[in-house]
Every structure is written in C-alpha cells, then in structure tokens.
Amino acid sequence: MIRLTGIGASEGISLGKALIYIEDKIDLESMKKSSLSAEAELVKLNDGVTKTKSQLLAIRERVREKLGEDKAAIFDAHIELLEDEDLQDGIKERVTKEGMSAAYAINEGVEETCNILSQLDDAYLRERVSDLRDIAKRWIKNTLGIKIKDLSILEPDTIVVTDDLTPSDTAQLDLEHCVAFITEFGGKTAHSAIMARSLEIPAIVGVKNIIQTVKDGEYLVLDGEKGIIYLSPTEEVIEAYKQKKVNFLKEKEELKKLKDLPATTACGERTVNVWGNIGKPEDVDAVIAAGGEGVGLYRTEFLFMNSDHMPTEEEQYEAYKIVAQKLKGKPVTIRTMDIGGDKELPYLDLPKEMNPFLGYRAIRISLTHKDMFKTQLRAILRASAYGKIKIMYPMVCSINEIRKSNEILKEYMEELDKEGKVYDTNIQVGIMVETPSTAMIAYKFAKEVDFFSIGTNDLTQYFLAVDRGNEKVSGLYSAFNPAVLEAIQRVIDAGHDRGISVSMCGEFAGNKKATEILLGMGLDSFSMSASSILGVKKKIRDTKYEDAKKYRDVILSMNTPEEVIDSLR
Ligand code: PEP
Ligand code: MG
C-alpha cells in the first residue's frame, strides 16, 4: 500500500479502479516514409476507418441515451467527414504514389482539407475544422493500433488519473461511472477543479508523480477534502474509508435540514445571501436543491465551450431564459463570456500566448469581437424579460472597459426597443473585481456600476503573482494572504461607501474557514458551488456578527499567511 498526498480540490470519499488517461504523443515525422508495402499500409488505413466508425457509432448511441437524438446526430456528421470520398482518395494516393505511412498520409490529407475549409465563407463548414482534426487524431491512433481512452464511456467506479484535465475533458466525463479524478498538475481553483466541485465529484489535484506511481486498473481510495490517496489499500483502510464515506453522506443529509432557513447570523443581527455558481442551465437544479437563493455567477463560457460552433443568439437566449425561469424571480448574475486563460475555444482562433492569464481574455475578447459580444448581450437582455437577470463583465482592469461595454449594451437596448422586444430596462450591470487595478481604486469603479462581485480566484493570482493552476507554486497561492484579505476589505468598503452591494463568487466564498472573516468584513452575498452552500449557511447561522467583526480585526492585524492559517478556527 502506498499513500500519496495532493491538493484536496473537491470533497468526498471515493473507492474505485484507476484509469490512466494521458494523451499519447505521436511522432508523425518519423513515419513519413513507410517501411511496409503500400498494400499493407492500405490495410492499416482501412482497419483504422472501420474501428473509428464503430467507436463513433458507440459514442453516438451513448450520447443519444444521455442527451437525446439531437445531440447524437452530430456524430452522423462526424462519420460523414470520416468517409468523405475526396478525403479518402487523397490519403490513399499519398500512400500508393508517395510511399507515405497511413498515419502520416491521414494527417497530411486532413490538414489539406482543413486549410480549404478554414478559408470558406460558410461558417458551418469552417467550424468543421476542429471536428475533422479530432476525428483524425482518433483515426491515426486506430491505424497505429494505439488504445483510445474515452472519458465519455467509463467502467463503473472509475477514478480517472491524468496529467491535467481541461475543462472540456471534464465536460465530457461519464458522470454515472466516474467516482473521482486525480491530476498530477493543476491547483484548487483551476477550472477542472471548480467543475469537479459543481459536479460533486471528489477530486485531488497536483499529486506529484501520480502517473508513474499508479498502475492502470489499480484499486484506490481517496479523501477529496484532505487530498489523501491510498494505492492498493489494505482491507483495514478500505473498511475505514467505507465508514468515512457513510459518515460523509450522513452529514450531507443532516445539512439538508437548513435548506429553507435564511442565512442569518446566530444573534439575528445580519442576514446575507447565499447563492450558487453555475456553468450550465442544468446546474441550477442543484443550487435550488441546496436552498441557494439565486445564482451569483453564471459562467457562460461553458455554453461556448460545450458547443462545436459559436452559440447563436437564439441558443444563448434559450439557455439564459431557462435559468431565469427556473429561479422564479430570484436573482441570476450572468457573466459575459470569460474565454482565455485555461478556457479555450477551438472554433475561435485564439493565438497561443506566453502568459494566457495575462493575455487576450474575457472582456478584452468581447470588446474586440463586437459581433460575438452583441449576440451575447442581446440574448441576455431578451432573457431578462423572464426573471431577475443582472449582467456582469469579467476581468475588468479599467473604467474605460466598463464605459465601452455599457455603450455597446445601450446600443442593443435601443435596437431591441426598435424591434419592440421586451427586456428589463432597469437591468443591473456590475463587474467582477479580480484584478489589482480594480481593487486598488475600487471606490472609483463603484461610481460606474450597480454591484461588485469579488473574484478571489483571479484576484489572488494577480495580487500575489502566483499562477492559480501551477501546483509548483500552490503553497504560495492563498486568499488567506494578508495582502489579499486587505484587498477584499478595501473592495467591500469601497462598494458600501458608494451604496452598492458587494458579493464574492470566487472559491473563497465557499470556504467554510473564511466564512466568519468575510461576514465580519461585511460581505453581502456569498456565491459558490452548489455543494458548498449548505455547509457555509450552517457556518453563518452558527456565528455571532459581533464575534465575526472582532475576529476579522484580529486576522487583518496579522502579517503572514502562515499566521492567518494557523489561527483559523
Ligand atoms: C474568479 O476569478 O474568482 C472567478 C470567479 O472567475 P473564474 O474562476 O471563472 O476565473
Ligand atoms: Mg476569474
């Protein structure tokens, strides 16, 4: 039995078998000329097509069962792309006339087609480029006899072990059978970890050498809160963890009793809002089930990322409307898309950057892709007729960004007026406070907006110059750092001085160890993954406001993160 530790990213106990999931790097260059006969390569090529087609059909069936015929039909288009006669002929010719290996020829043929497609006027065909590249990857692996691991079809009780999980990997996880995931890289606030919390899948990130240490199929038990993993555990450990799992689930059940009670402090002096963070309309159900009083952050970029094309106004409108309707008048803060950083969009040709978190991201993209921004703002405005929607701009660094965005918003309000479309003419507009520039002069920003929402995930990384997704510096990444705490207090005070409400939607808002401090600081609303709502509500209800303020003063007088963390009660 081996015991490993990492960063606990999503709580819960899991027992299951490891599935090692890593992208195999294939050195295609070395396969340019084949040492086999053209006939032998053609056999491999055709075998590859047959295998790829049968895998795509299996995925199609699975998607049909889970998501319906509509979504499944996408895979018919993929199969058509695979079997396209011109593409096939071009690849075969490369094998027979130029002596290329089947794998190399597939790559060449597909890239040639992609180049043609990407220059066409037809947006639908242009967007097929990423599908075709995806199919080519699978086809090449099948041709070379490399086993393909597919996260959307897993064996029961699978623990996915991987180097890093992108948000799109997380999105296609087979939720019925994946009981946990472990990554070698990444930090607690990387988006894969955030998604794990919202999906309520236990997860541990930043586990050094996990891939070399664990064997495929090996039995594991883990504690997602403490970040502990046992490889091939003894019977005793298995039994102990089975019991812990029972206790964990019992406590969760117990918390449900608080569902309909207000988040009022023990002395009755203050009532705050406890809201949920969501990535897609279906996530609202878990927020409501946990007694969430609204949605403080709707990360709309996941709607963009889970689509193979830029979502149309109608598609976005439908999604936002569903959320507003499900919440029946409770507030929902829709954040305009926050692509960039660790969130990629295959159909939007974003440049590779040295420092993506400091680069072309969020509002910076929206302000330079006006068509995309327009589609989203119109969709949000139209959906605002169905509930209490607020608009929030991400990654704001300067007041000009707010003014420019609001000008554009006003333009579309006027457009909707002319079209006679209904929307909330008093819609509130706020910003994420997640950059030092905004935090430092928050009192100036407060004059420009209706509300602030503090994004501690980014605020922490930018204030401390510590990459939120890099496990090598994860020891330095902490919102309990006195500099970050003082920034939070500063933003809350600045908002209150100007009479606007201040919420927090970064992961810190869902950290029970921070609840008392944040209450003492005067935070109005706490927004978090649905799975954290009840625990934080309990903490608020158990705390006296006077005590929280005194505790806040003690904490803010401290000089080092270690002092703060050591004194957390
Ligand atoms: C944040 O930065 O705290 C935040 C909520 O936004 P995201 O995690 O999506 O960057
Ligand atoms: Mg952020």
Side-chain angles (χ1 to χ4, degrees):
M1 177 174 81
I2 300 175
R3 181 182 186 274
L4 294 177
T5 54
I7 305 164
S10 177
E11 64 176 7
I13 308 288
S14 292
L15 302 95
K17 278 191 185 161
L19 171 89
I20 300 180
Y21 174 80
I22 28 174
E23 275 285 333
D24 296 284
K25 297 223 171 10
I26 301 168
D27 178 15
L28 276 178
E29 257 334 285
S30 67
M31 298 176 197
K32 187 165 182 175
K33 289 284 169 213
S34 172
S35 54
L36 302 176
S37 67
E39 288 71 31
E41 286 293 348
L42 288 178
V43 171
K44 284 169 75 174
L45 182 73
N46 288 331
D47 277 356
V49 176
T50 314
K51 269 193 205 153
T52 306
K53 184 173 175 184
S54 81
Q55 287 162 359
L56 291 174
L57 284 170
I59 298 174
R60 184 196 193 288
E61 186 50 24
R62 180 107 194 169
V63 172
R64 193 187 60 77
E65 280 168 19
K66 281 195 338 195
L67 303 168
E69 182 59 31
D70 249 24
K71 293 268 187 283
I74 295 167
F75 292 94
D76 296 335
H78 286 197
I79 292 168
E80 248 175 63
L81 282 172
L82 171 74
E83 293 184 325
D84 181 87
E85 241 175 73
D86 288 344
L87 177 68
Q88 292 278 345
D89 289 348
I91 293 171
K92 282 179 193 156
E93 218 175 283
R94 283 178 168 86
V95 171
T96 49
K97 297 208 173 128
E98 296 176 44
M100 287 181 188
S101 71
Y104 194 86
I106 294 171
N107 192 53
E108 288 280 297
V110 164
E111 278 310 309
E112 188 183 72
T113 310
C114 288
N115 279 338
I116 298 169
L117 289 177
S118 53
Q119 284 163 26
L120 297 179
D121 282 339
D122 184 330
Y124 176 80
L125 289 175
R126 272 203 318 272
E127 282 155 10
R128 301 285 69 74
V129 167
S130 63
D131 293 343
L132 192 52
R133 289 206 171 111
D134 219 39
I135 295 163
K137 259 200 228 162
R138 180 179 286 278
W139 187 5
I140 289 171
K141 280 187 188 163
N142 282 328
T143 304
L144 295 170
I146 296 173
K147 202 171 151 202
I148 294 176
K149 283 168 182 162
D150 190 341
L151 290 179
S152 65
I153 307 175
L154 300 174
E155 296 291 318
D157 297 331
T158 297
I159 296 179
V160 175
V161 178
T162 178
D163 44 359
D164 201 0
L165 213 57
T166 64
S168 64
D169 287 333
T170 327
Q172 53 136 329
L173 264 185
D174 173 356
L175 296 175
E176 215 178 309
H177 298 128
C178 174
V179 292
F181 71 75
I182 306 171
T183 68
E184 185 146 342
F185 304 111
K188 198 169 179 156
T189 63
H191 284 93
S192 47
I194 293 174
M195 280 186 81
R197 282 192 285 282
S198 77
L199 297 169
E200 302 197 31
I201 303 175
I204 302 178
V205 298
V207 188
K208 254 191 227 151
N209 298 326
I210 181 79
I211 294 180
Q212 283 123 289
T213 321
V214 81
K215 290 187 227 41
D216 209 27
E218 189 167 5
Y219 196 73
L220 311 177
V221 302
L222 61 85
D223 179 331
E225 187 185 9
K226 298 212 168 78
I228 300 170
I229 309 155
Y230 289 98
L231 282 60
S232 300
T234 59
E235 270 311 311
E236 245 178 314
V237 170
I238 294 176
E239 281 316 309
Y241 273 78
K242 279 187 179 162
Q243 191 52 48
K244 278 188 189 202
K245 187 172 176 173
V246 171
N247 296 346
F248 173 78
L249 296 175
K250 224 199 247 161
E251 269 173 41
K252 249 178 117 170
E253 250 338 276
E254 196 56 27
L255 280 176
K256 284 190 186 155
K257 292 183 185 151
L258 303 179
K259 180 180 166 278
D260 298 317
L261 299 176
T264 303
T265 50
C267 51
E269 210 176 312
R270 268 204 91 206
T271 299
V272 295
N273 300 303
V274 181
W275 292 333
N277 292 349
I278 63 166
K280 50 186 185 325
E282 304 88 273
D283 297 345
V284 177
D285 302 337
V287 173
I288 295 172
E293 296 149 340
V295 165
L297 169 64
Y298 178 0
R299 287 185 167 94
T300 57
E301 55 276 8
F302 288 106
L303 180 72
F304 290 66
M305 288 159 70
N306 294 341
S307 169
D308 59 356
H309 61 276
M310 190 70 76
T312 61
E313 183 179 318
E314 279 317 297
E315 285 169 334
Q316 293 189 51
Y317 163 68
E318 281 303 325
Y320 307 152
K321 182 172 131 185
I322 291 173
V323 175
Q325 284 176 328
K326 281 189 177 194
L327 284 166
K328 299 194 175 93
K330 288 181 184 152
V332 47
T333 309
I334 302 187
R335 178 172 78 180
T336 60
M337 70 96 201
D338 185 13
I339 289 296
D342 61 351
K343 292 177 283 196
E344 292 176 9
L345 210 55
Y347 48 86
L348 186 72
D349 217 3
L350 292 174
K352 279 267 166 268
E353 296 175 305
M354 292 285 279
N355 290 305
F357 273 105
L358 298 181
Y360 192 44
R361 245 195 100 175
I363 196 73
R364 299 171 183 179
I365 299 182
S366 294
L367 285 172
T368 47
H369 276 73
K370 202 174 159 194
D371 273 1
M372 198 166 137
F373 200 25
K374 168 182 179 168
T375 309
Q376 180 159 40
L377 291 177
R378 276 183 55 106
I380 299 175
L381 282 171
R382 285 175 54 204
S384 71
Y386 296 87
K388 189 168 168 26
I389 287 181
K390 307 183 201 182
I391 297 177
M392 177 159 73
Y393 304 132
M395 256 295 275
V396 169
C397 286
S398 92
I399 285 176
N400 269 337
E401 288 166 333
I402 305 173
R403 292 184 181 159
K404 272 192 207 150
S405 303
N406 281 344
E407 262 171 42
I408 296 173
L409 179 69
K410 197 164 155 252
E411 210 180 293
Y412 300 129
M413 283 179 161
E414 285 164 6
E415 203 173 274
L416 291 178
D417 287 337
K418 282 194 199 123
E419 292 168 22
K421 296 219 161 82
V422 189
Y423 63 91
D424 176 3
T425 48
N426 289 318
I427 194 162
Q428 286 196 8
V429 181
I431 54 167
M432 298 279 300
V433 180
E434 49 186 349
T435 61
S437 52
T438 309
M440 285 305 291
I441 51 168
Y443 60 97
K444 293 185 177 166
F445 279 79
K447 290 186 224 162
E448 309 276 332
V449 294
D450 297 316
F451 65 90
F452 282 156
S453 185
I454 306 174
T456 44
N457 305 341
D458 278 318
L459 190 69
T460 305
Q461 78 164 344
Y462 295 136
F463 244 91
L464 303 178
V466 175
D467 184 338
R468 67 194 262 188
N470 182 343
E471 72 295 336
K472 284 210 183 63
V473 288
S474 64
L476 296 172
Y477 180 94
S478 170
F480 286 112
N481 185 298
V484 181
L485 292 174
E486 211 163 299
I488 295 171
Q489 181 68 78
R490 191 184 177 92
V491 174
I492 296 173
D493 291 345
H496 288 173
D497 284 350
R498 304 290 316 182
I500 66 169
S501 69
V502 183
S503 64
M504 178 179 287
C505 59
E507 295 303 296
F508 203 47
N511 183 340
K512 284 182 294 223
K513 293 195 177 112
T515 309
E516 193 172 353
I517 303 173
L518 295 172
L519 261 181
M521 285 181 169
L523 189 70
D524 302 304
S525 310
F526 297 61
S527 191
M528 63 202 74
S529 308
S531 57
S532 305
I533 289 178
L534 287 166
V536 168
K537 195 189 259 189
K538 175 164 169 40
K539 188 82 204 184
I540 293 167
R541 291 179 58 83
D542 289 347
T543 304
K544 288 196 188 117
Y545 186 45
E546 272 312 307
D547 291 347
K549 281 195 286 191
K550 281 186 208 143
Y551 185 46
R552 181 268 324 253
D553 290 343
V554 173
I555 293 290
L556 283 184
S557 70
M558 292 178 174
N559 300 310
T560 66
E562 291 76 14
E563 254 179 277
V564 176
I565 287 162
D566 285 349
S567 73
L568 293 175
R569 11 189 211 223

